[in-house]
Amino acid sequence: MKGRILPRVVVALLAGVLFGFGLSLSGMVDPARVTGFLDVASGNWDPSLIFVLSGAVAMAVPGVYLQRRLAEPVLDDRFHLSQECRVDRSLVLGSLIFGAGWGLAGLCPGPAVAGLSSGIALTVVFVAAMGAGMVVHDRLALARPS
């Protein structure tokens, strides 16, 4: 495992750069474009992001297929996948908050981080609020009895 740390970091960096480049190229870092995609009721709906979503699914399906056939990952000792399959109040509430935030701001975490280099003030505020929300959640979740 120790000998695979550098390759893991390099592969993670390359994957992050490729992901951010794809988000930027597709326009996912532009909140106006995302809200244009989500606004199906106004008559000005921009369906172009369907191709981005389709491309993401097309890339993910072979990856999931491959993961299910491997005994272990190439650069780690085990897969770090959630075993939780339960749909509970926390999941539903968190999903609603995420969806509302995405619809209102036109940003979700990946595109927001990728869009920081654009210098758009909304993106910077969004990422700061997202980080604060993560800290508050972790503090509340850790303080809650299990």
Side-chain angles (χ1 to χ4, degrees):
M1 177 65 182
K2 284 187 175 181
R4 293 189 280 182
I5 291 176
L6 182 60
R8 284 177 60 191
V9 169
V10 169
V11 168
L13 182 63
L14 290 174
V17 167
L18 183 62
F19 182 63
F21 178 74
L23 292 172
S24 296
L25 183 66
S26 67
M28 290 286 292
V29 298
D30 180 3
R33 188 155 185 198
V34 174
T35 55
F37 172 71
L38 296 173
D39 186 11
V40 294
S42 71
N44 296 321
W45 182 51
D46 176 9
S48 63
L49 292 184
I50 286 176
F51 294 105
V52 177
L53 298 173
S54 301
V57 171
M59 291 300 297
V61 168
V64 171
Y65 182 80
L66 177 64
Q67 180 270 322
R68 290 184 176 171
R69 273 141 187 79
L70 292 174
E72 68 180 42
V74 175
L75 297 175
D76 206 340
D77 296 329
R78 65 181 180 89
F79 291 104
H80 299 272
L81 301 172
S82 174
Q83 301 302 314
E84 184 67 49
C85 297
R86 185 173 39 119
V87 176
D88 59 8
R89 191 179 76 149
S90 294
L91 178 64
V92 172
L93 184 61
S95 300
L96 288 172
I97 293 170
F98 178 88
W102 192 35
L104 289 171
L107 290 167
C108 65
V113 171
L116 280 176
S117 62
S118 68
I120 298 173
L122 173 66
T123 303
V124 175
V125 170
F126 179 89
V127 171
M130 180 177 70
M134 290 173 167
V135 169
V136 169
H137 171 268
D138 286 351
R139 303 272 170 142
L140 293 176
L142 293 176
R144 189 174 16 174
S146 54

